[in-house]
Amino acid sequence: MATLSYSADDYYFAGLFDGEGSVSVYHRDDYGTGALHTKVILTVSMCVEAPIQGLKTHFGGGTVRQGRLTASGRPVWTWYQVGVPAKPTLEVLKAICRVKRPQIVLALEAIELIERTKHRSRRKRITPEEHIRRGEIAQEIRALKAVS
């Protein structure tokens, strides 16, 4: 069996994500158009910019300085990664993180559902089971956030 090796940066940023990060799956129907949108979003927000820029350098994604300030007047920085491009990051996080691992596993399942149905024509929309599962994943992640 092949052993995966991870870098010190993988461990550092996974630890940062496990403590400060957020996994979200948004699932929305555009009623009237029949369109279904499911989006996976990873974020880490903090008032120290260097780790946020390090996440961008290491995993990709983007960064933004929020318009808000902390109570002490410090700016808030956010790293984010959205959609299917987050899959490699989630794979690393899944192997290392402990606290957010259940959310990460669900986000990977959502990405797999998105990838599986991405290239279907409009006539071959997702199955009712896939539609239900996407909604369930979003609800399960919200429920996990409420207890962690």
Side-chain angles (χ1 to χ4, degrees):
M1 180 178 211
T3 302
L4 297 176
S5 62
Y6 297 98
S7 69
D9 282 347
D10 287 332
Y11 284 101
Y12 173 77
F13 291 120
L16 183 65
F17 187 86
D18 215 14
E20 300 295 329
S22 176
V23 179
S24 300
V25 175
Y26 295 100
H27 175 74
R28 185 187 76 195
D29 291 312
D30 283 344
Y31 296 106
T33 65
L36 172 70
H37 301 282
T38 304
K39 188 185 305 183
V40 174
I41 303 174
L42 307 178
T43 60
V44 174
S45 294
M46 55 194 318
C47 56
V48 179
E49 182 184 7
I52 297 299
Q53 295 301 334
L55 281 160
K56 179 180 177 182
T57 300
H58 190 69
F59 288 128
T63 60
V64 64
R65 180 180 169 175
Q66 301 292 327
R68 64 187 172 98
L69 299 175
T70 65
S72 62
R74 297 174 71 185
V76 177
W77 294 88
T78 299
W79 166 80
Y80 61 89
Q81 202 168 40
V82 180
V84 174
K87 187 176 181 179
T89 302
L90 284 164
E91 293 289 357
V92 171
L93 296 175
K94 177 184 165 188
I96 300 170
C97 290
R98 300 294 175 253
V99 175
K100 291 197 172 61
R101 189 172 193 280
Q103 296 172 42
I104 292 164
V105 169
L106 288 166
L108 280 165
E109 182 183 349
I111 286 177
E112 288 170 10
L113 286 170
I114 292 165
E115 287 179 323
R116 189 167 53 210
T117 58
K118 189 173 185 167
H119 300 293
R120 290 187 186 169
S121 69
R122 288 198 179 272
R123 291 186 183 148
K124 294 182 180 178
R125 296 178 189 243
I126 69 168
T127 66
E129 294 80 14
E130 289 169 331
H131 179 101
I132 290 168
R133 184 62 190 138
R134 288 181 185 197
E136 288 172 346
I137 290 169
Q139 288 176 346
E140 289 174 36
I141 286 178
R142 279 193 297 275
L144 285 167
K145 286 181 176 188
V147 296
S148 61

